[in-house]
Amino acid sequence: MRLKDKVAIVTGANSGIGKAIAERFAAEGAHVGVNYRVRGNNAEVAQAIVKSLPTEGIAVAGDVSKREDVERMVAEVVAKFGRLDIAVSNAGMEIKKPFLEVTDDDWNKVLSVNLYGAFLISQVAARQIVKQGPGGKLIFISSVHEDIPFPEYASYCASKGGVRMLMRNLAMELAPYKINCNNIAPGAIATPINQAVLDDPEAKKNALGEIPWGRFGRPEEVASVAVFLASDEADYVTGSTYYIDGGLTQQVTKY
Ligand code: BGC
């Protein structure tokens, strides 16, 4: 058990990478706050995930882009488990549109969830960790697009590039408090965010052509790195990005 009795919160944990991280953390002994945004059947899904965990968890509703929600989410976890050791900023979204057609609304939606949301959860969690001491772990799920361009995803790339610099800055500012800050940068992982590509044979073929490993990643393959970064074994790791991408970022020029 690598996270025995640790307390974690994972944003956007009702599906995809967030769900896999919540499940893996619990399998390693952590108590997990499973955050979901109120919408459709998300509440039932999050409750079912919590029920299936081998440790005691809690489903916490809230929009990561609203300060009052994020403060309440963390407060609910702390009220139940007495502390918070690990926060995973995972909730994210993307809107595909040619740059010339992007509206203010598109831009603001993506930036407020992906970047403002990362700021909020990391600040609220860090304040709690500093208050309780000693130390903790902040993990941001960014993307290979924190570094590499992705045409028609300007807002997404800008948000993830922002998360890269947010994390690096926090690694410096929070080092005195022994709060490790790291990014995980997934490539193409088989999750709902990529469903349209997975369902379109032509788009899927093009995507696979970019991935040296020749397949999409699995959420569990991201979760295993999150476990390492959340564990004591990563105590000397801070300010780093871990790419989980089957080689996608190692762009080969082919012409
Ligand atoms: C995006 C996916 C994309 C992948 C690799 C992820 O961050 O969410 O849409 O397939 O990066 O390009």
Side-chain angles (χ1 to χ4, degrees), residues 73-158:
M73 283 150 48
V74 169
E76 283 175 15
V77 171
V78 174
K80 188 162 173 90
F81 300 112
R83 55 184 296 110
L84 180 70
D85 303 293
I86 303 154
V88 182
S89 174
N90 165 76
M93 63 173 293
E94 61 191 28
I95 296 175
K96 179 177 188 190
K97 230 179 228 188
F99 177 64
L100 298 179
E101 292 167 25
V102 172
T103 65
D104 290 356
D105 191 47
D106 297 331
W107 180 270
N108 290 334
K109 258 193 202 144
V110 173
L111 270 288
S112 68
V113 171
N114 295 4
L115 184 56
Y116 183 55
F119 157 66
L120 285 178
I121 186 64
S122 58
Q123 189 189 53
V124 174
R127 284 178 175 166
Q128 171 61 33
I129 293 169
V130 168
K131 191 165 80 183
Q132 77 199 12
K137 306 275 195 271
L138 300 182
I139 300 166
F140 300 86
I141 307 303
S142 66
S143 164
V144 293
H145 303 297
E146 70 164 43
D147 193 43
I148 61 172
F150 197 12
E152 304 195 345
Y153 289 90
S155 57
Y156 185 74
C157 292

Side-chain angles (χ1 to χ4, degrees), residues 16-34:
I17 291 171
K19 174 172 179 273
I21 292 175
E23 290 173 343
R24 187 65 205 281
F25 277 11
E28 297 288 347
H31 300 293
V32 188
V34 174

